[in-house]
Structures are given as structure tokens and as C-alpha cells.
């Protein structure tokens, strides 16, 4: 399941970003809401997300997570169609008609 690639194809980020929208969403899926968004960067450091996904933990603050969620919101239908296991893999439960719950 190429979640990061799918997200980045549908909603490319800015060239100056430290992590792409796809990388952020992929980390959130792995996190499965184990910690609040304001602690995801700490969780990512502790669980060695950089080694497993090549995504730095430091830029994964709650503001960055929110920007990624906002960026993909208009594309949720395409994302859920493209990544069939999206809903079952994510405890965030993306609802294509209403956005993130």
C-alpha cells in the first residue's frame, strides 16, 4: 500500500517542506491515534519512524499534521478509492463526505 505516494500524487506539497503530506499521513496511520497530535513528534522519535519510513520526527508537530489533513480533505474520496485498506488501517477514520473525525 503506497499511501505516501498516493497522497503526494493527489496533493503535492511545497518544495520547501521537510516532509511531504503523504509522509505525514502515513505516519499518522502507523500511529493509529496512539498519542494526541501534539505528541506525535515525540512518539515518532521513540518508535524510530525515521529509520522505518525515512521521515524525520522533528517536523511532525501538530500544526504540520493539521496542514496535511487539511490538504487531503478535498481528495478523501480519491484517496479511499485508491487505497482500499485506508479506512481499516487508520483509526482516524477518514470520511470522504465529512473529513476527519
Amino acid at each position: 500500500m503506497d499511501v505516501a505516494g498516493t497522497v503526494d500524487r493527489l496533493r503535492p506539497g511545497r518544495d520547501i517542506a521537510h516532509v511531504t503530506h503523504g509522509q505525514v499521513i502515513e505516519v499518522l496511520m502507523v500511529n493509529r491515534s496512539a498519542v494526541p497530535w501534539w505528541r506525535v513528534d515525540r512518539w515518532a522519535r521513540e518508535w524510530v519512524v525515521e529509520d522505518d519510513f525515512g521521515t524525520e520526527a522533528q517536523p511532525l508537530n501538530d500544526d504540520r499534521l493539521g496542514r496535511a489533513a487539511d490538504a487531503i480533505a478535498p481528495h478523501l474520496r480519491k484517496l479511499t478509492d485508491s487505497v482500499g485498506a485506508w479506512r481499516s488501517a487508520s483509526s482516524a477514520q477518514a470520511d470522504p463526505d465529512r473529513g476527519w473525525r
Side-chain angles (χ1 to χ4, degrees), residues 5-40:
T6 301
V7 170
D8 291 337
R9 279 188 296 281
L10 289 171
R11 188 60 171 91
R14 300 181 310 181
D15 291 336
I16 62 170
H18 292 266
V19 293
T20 68
H21 293 315
Q23 290 171 308
V24 172
I25 299 304
E26 192 169 60
V27 167
L28 284 176
M29 288 179 66
V30 171
N31 172 261
R32 298 180 55 89
S33 297
V35 299
W37 280 16
W38 59 272
R39 293 188 56 201
V40 168

Side-chain angles (χ1 to χ4, degrees), residues 49-90:
V49 167
E50 187 169 356
D51 290 348
D52 291 341
F53 293 94
T55 303
E56 297 177 53
Q58 188 266 339
L60 296 173
N61 59 55
D62 57 341
D63 290 332
R64 182 62 183 94
L65 303 178
R67 283 194 305 274
D70 287 344
I72 69 165
H75 305 283
L76 287 178
R77 175 69 65 200
K78 289 179 187 172
L79 288 169
T80 56
D81 290 347
S82 298
V83 183
W86 179 284
R87 290 181 143 223
S88 63
S90 172

